[in-house]
Amino acid sequence: MKTRPAGIGRANADWMGSLSPKLSAMPLKHLAVPGSHDSFTYWVDVAPVGPDQKLFVKYLATMFSVFAKKVMVKWSMTQVILLNSSKRSKIAFSKFKLCSTPQVKDGLLEINSFLSRHRKEVVLLDFNHHYAMDAAHHVYLITMLQEVFGNRLCHDCAVETVTLNYLWGKKHQVIVFYHHPSAQHISVMWPGSKIPAPWANTTDPSKLIQFLETTLKERDKKGSFHVSQAILTPRVNTVAKGLVWGLRNYLVERNLPAIMSWVEAQRPGTDGVNIITSDFVELTDFANIVIRLNSLLLCEQGHKP
């Protein structure tokens, strides 16, 4: 049986505030942070087919609208629990894909309400796909982010200076990365270049793990956070074979043991993992496993003269 070093107790909604002072003084880019992929997809049934989808998906949606909608929900939804649930409350990084129609304000207000109750918790929000959004939509969304989070928003600065102590001292709890030129000159919107998230784009867990290992070795030493996307991506033939089962039942659940074994074997730090994202974070003890990796940093410090 694998054991982990002592130093961090059972993770909870206040896991950042419960970290050792040695860890809260380290750059956030060196800590292990649990993240979720496509975090608003539990509302996916209200959204139209994404413009980046394959032609066959658009055709399916047009010709068999009711049936296709059910199928697409099963293959598009990557999270099924709400942001304020007990397991999601430990997730500190969220990646979003947005289009102009779904309402996102409710989700943002949930996050803000959580932060009001947990003053030492910090979230990183990555808005990296914007579908069917024109200039007015971007202004609306950026304004909404500023209105909802207010002074909780951290201003763009050198990544190496961002520790939990730094954020707590300034009462900042939210770092927003916005991958669009509309946010270029807004100080509380961080550029996407500061949070690279290499994507394996494979259904094969062994290829995914090889990709994760390679991209970790190539991780920038300065100037950015790093996201390890421990997720599998369905192909056309994958959807065809598992049409009625969906992403969770056909692809994710059967491959989770291999993916989680990789996660458990990682270590944070200068050359290690930083943010790790997963689909269906409720299926395993994902958040706690990632958070406990930070104990290894305490062990490393304990061996230094």
Side-chain angles (χ1 to χ4, degrees):
M1 187 175 87
K2 292 182 179 178
T3 59
R4 283 290 171 189
I8 296 177
R10 178 172 175 78
N12 53 39
D14 295 295
W15 70 268
M16 288 184 174
S18 302
L19 290 176
S20 158
K22 291 181 179 179
L23 295 177
S24 63
M26 288 186 183
L28 190 55
K29 63 172 287 187
H30 292 165
L31 300 184
V33 176
S36 63
H37 172 237
D38 291 357
S39 300
F40 282 169
T41 52
Y42 57 84
W43 285 323
V44 75
D45 62 313
V46 303
V49 176
D52 65 335
Q53 292 299 319
K54 307 284 187 185
L55 284 175
F56 91 94
V57 176
K58 295 179 180 179
Y59 175 79
L60 184 67
T62 303
M63 299 302 293
F64 309 99
S65 58
V66 176
F67 172 72
K69 188 174 183 179
K70 292 179 180 179
V71 170
M72 284 186 289
V73 167
K74 285 188 175 184
W75 281 96
S76 300
M77 187 177 291
T78 61
Q79 310 296 340
V80 296
I81 50 179
L82 296 175
L83 292 166
N84 59 4
S85 68
S86 60
K87 285 199 173 186
R88 284 299 298 279
S89 65
K90 302 163 191 171
I91 299 297
F93 169 84
S94 292
K95 176 181 175 184
F96 301 105
K97 294 179 181 177
L98 302 175
C99 72
S100 58
T101 40
Q103 298 295 318
V104 299
K105 190 168 187 177
D106 288 345
L108 298 178
L109 288 171
E110 277 187 32
I111 295 170
N112 194 57
S113 176
F114 168 81
L115 295 174
S116 296
R117 300 190 305 272
H118 305 274
R119 297 288 183 169
K120 285 197 167 183
E121 299 310 292
V122 174
V123 297
L124 297 88
L125 308 179
D126 186 13
F127 294 85
N128 63 6
H129 284 73
H130 307 92
Y131 300 132
M133 289 180 64
D134 58 25
H137 290 124
H138 283 289
V139 170
Y140 176 78
L141 177 57
I142 292 168
T143 302
M144 182 196 302
L145 288 164
Q146 292 175 291
E147 289 175 350
V148 169
F149 295 121
N151 292 332
R152 288 197 171 98
L153 290 168
C154 179
H155 291 256
D156 181 18
C157 60
V159 171
E160 284 70 27
T161 66
V162 180
T163 65
L164 288 174
N165 288 343
Y166 169 85
L167 294 167
W168 295 339
K170 292 185 173 291
K171 296 185 173 15
H172 293 330
Q173 290 180 275
V174 184
I175 300 177
V176 174
F177 302 89
Y178 203 91
H179 299 239
H180 194 271
S182 301
Q184 265 181 356
H185 303 295
I186 300 174
S187 64
V188 291
M189 298 289 116
W190 290 52
S193 59
K194 288 193 173 183
I195 192 158
W199 175 41
N201 191 20
T202 182
T203 59
D204 185 335
S206 61
K207 290 182 179 178
L208 169 64
I209 290 169
Q210 183 180 10
F211 178 85
L212 292 171
E213 292 287 350
T214 300
T215 51
L216 264 183
K217 292 174 184 175
E218 297 170 348
R219 176 184 172 183
D220 290 335
K221 303 301 180 189
K222 292 184 178 180
S224 70
F225 296 93
H226 182 84
V227 182
S228 296
Q229 297 199 74
I231 59 173
L232 296 170
T233 306
R235 305 285 177 86
V236 174
N237 61 341
T238 315
V239 177
K241 289 176 182 177
L243 194 64
V244 298
W245 286 280
L247 178 66
R248 171 174 170 162
N249 295 330
Y250 189 77
L251 186 63
V252 175
E253 285 185 336
R254 65 172 68 180
N255 293 303
L256 264 180
I259 293 172
M260 292 310 300
S261 291
W262 179 85
V263 173
E264 289 179 324
Q266 299 312 298
R267 64 170 184 78
T270 307
D271 301 313
V273 292
N274 178 205
I275 298 161
I276 306 177
T277 63
S278 176
D279 288 334
F280 300 106
V281 295
E282 79 284 358
L283 290 178
T284 65
D285 201 24
F286 171 75
N288 286 333
I289 289 170
V290 174
I291 292 166
R292 285 196 293 267
L293 294 177
N294 291 301
S295 295
L296 298 172
L297 293 172
L298 292 176
C299 291
E300 288 175 5
Q301 282 207 341
H303 286 94
K304 288 179 182 178

